[in-house]
Amino acid sequence: MKIDLTGKTALVTGSSQGIGLAIATALATSGADVVLSGRSRDSLDDAASAVSEAAGVRKPRTVAADLGTKQGIADLLGEVAGIDILVNNLGIYESKDAMDITDDDWQDYLDVNLLSAVRLTRALLPAMMQQKWGRVLYLASDAAIAVPHDMLHYGVSKTALVAAARGYAKVAAGSGVTVNSVIAGPTRTDGAVRFIRSKFGPVMPWEEAEGKFMSTERSASLIKRLIDPAEIANMVVYLSSPQASATTGGALRVDGGYVDSIFP
Ligand SMILES: NC(=O)c1ccc[n+]([C@@H]2O[C@H](COP(=O)([O-])OP(=O)(O)OC[C@H]3O[C@@H](n4cnc5c(N)ncnc54)[C@H](OP(=O)(O)O)[C@@H]3O)[C@@H](O)[C@H]2O)c1
């Protein structure tokens, strides 16, 4: 299968590092013009250089804005136009005792993980439907299904994203636009390294910490290792492609077999 996204413009949120950066790189490698988004201008600039080098393209556009706020979303939307592929990758996560999660924490997780995606979808989906082609994706998580006891706010926000993908797919029915979520499993990103270190402390050698995390907290993983961000990006590129035109309203797993289910 040869995937060619030439002529398509993709917006990837949370793309200055980790899975978002891998997705932006893979989309650019397949020919798409990509727009990178995050808060730190310096990180975005570094990420744009990395995409340019890896994909052999000119430096992609970047927009610095806090997408957990209405103003940040408006600022981003003010700078982009003609988006054909929207990848709602942005997500924050932490380990926190369920009983210590405050109202402010809940609001923060809903604003950043759910409402950023909802607001961008509401703004960009109508034009995609009008042009009779588009792709909307949501980066969900195994935590949407196997909700960890210490990541309740995160898990709930990701379950909501899976539901939102299904609902927006119905909104886009028959329009040529597909809407899907990707159930990512534990993946080796800066954010995940910080998360794992927060559990086992900064002193433990990284290989030992990763091994301990996988064997004690993600022992149901069938690949028995963290996922590489590029492995998530491969699924996103496929779902963004013309070839994936009959896949919509779905939740596709790239979880290393972690979720113990025969259904997707
Ligand atoms: N890593 C995993 O194991 C894993 C597993 C399952 C699902 N996922 C999901 O995959 C997605 C990416 O995860 P990741 O591990 O790659 O994340 P990450 O390494 O923590 O990167 C987060 C990205 O989001 C940006 N960001 C954070 N807060 C923001 C805000 N308020 N407004 C705009 N940008 C913001 C960050 O840049 P700035 O800090 O500069 O803003 C950065 O580019 C998330 O949705 C996550 O839930 C991850």
Side-chain angles (χ1 to χ4, degrees):
M1 192 182 300
K2 287 198 169 96
I3 291 177
D4 182 6
L5 298 176
T6 305
K8 307 292 186 201
T9 300
L11 169 62
V12 186
T13 64
S15 46
S16 58
Q17 62 180 46
I19 294 172
L21 178 55
I23 290 171
T25 304
L27 289 171
T29 302
S30 297
D33 273 331
V34 296
V35 181
L36 306 184
S37 145
R39 288 166 303 179
S40 155
R41 282 181 204 285
D42 288 348
S43 304
L44 281 169
D45 199 50
D46 290 347
S49 300
V51 171
S52 167
E53 196 174 323
V57 296
R58 68 171 193 268
K59 250 175 118 172
R61 272 182 294 159
T62 63
V63 184
D66 182 348
L67 301 189
T69 67
K70 280 186 190 175
Q71 186 58 53
I73 296 283
D75 292 346
L76 171 63
L77 289 171
E79 296 209 28
V80 298
I83 300 299
D84 305 292
I85 300 165
L86 167 63
V87 184
N88 293 293
N89 165 76
L90 169 60
I92 52 171
Y93 48 89
E94 67 179 342
S95 172
K96 194 162 189 174
D97 189 289
M99 295 307 172
D100 293 337
I101 301 171
T102 64
D103 282 5
D104 285 349
D105 294 332
W106 276 104
Q107 196 57 59
D108 202 25
Y109 272 70
L110 293 176
D111 282 341
V112 176
N113 289 5
L114 176 65
L115 281 178
S116 67
V118 166
R119 288 171 173 148
L120 290 174
T121 304
R122 224 165 34 201
L124 299 175
L125 181 59
M128 292 184 197
M129 291 171 64
Q130 211 160 20
Q131 70 178 12
K132 303 257 175 259
W133 200 93
R135 298 284 183 261
V136 180
L137 291 157
Y138 301 87
L139 254 292
S141 162
D142 51 55
I145 305 166
V147 181
H149 66 87
D150 62 337
M151 300 177 84
L152 198 45
H153 47 346
Y154 175 70
V156 168
S157 72
K158 292 297 184 181
T159 312
L161 275 184
V162 175
R166 180 73 196 162
Y168 284 122
K170 290 180 180 173
V171 172
S175 70
V177 179
T178 66
V179 186
N180 291 288
S181 58
V182 173
I183 309 282
T187 306
R188 193 180 298 101
T189 65
D190 292 344
V193 168
R194 201 169 48 241
F195 174 79
I196 293 169
R197 288 223 178 275
S198 79
K199 286 174 173 283
F200 304 123
V203 181
M204 187 181 287
W206 169 246
E207 282 71 26
E208 193 183 334
E210 176 176 338
K212 190 168 174 190
F213 176 70
M214 292 308 295
S215 62
T216 60
E217 307 219 6
R218 297 293 183 272
S219 60
S221 165
L222 300 182
I223 61 173
K224 303 291 176 201
R225 61 168 173 82
L226 288 174
I227 296 162
D228 188 277
E231 294 176 289
I232 311 281
N234 289 338
M235 174 67 88
V236 172
V237 169
Y238 169 67
L239 291 173
S240 300
S241 73
Q243 285 92 331
S245 48
T247 301
T248 191
L252 291 298
R253 285 167 50 189
V254 192
D255 65 347
Y258 173 70
V259 176
D260 190 5
S261 167
I262 56 174
F263 295 112

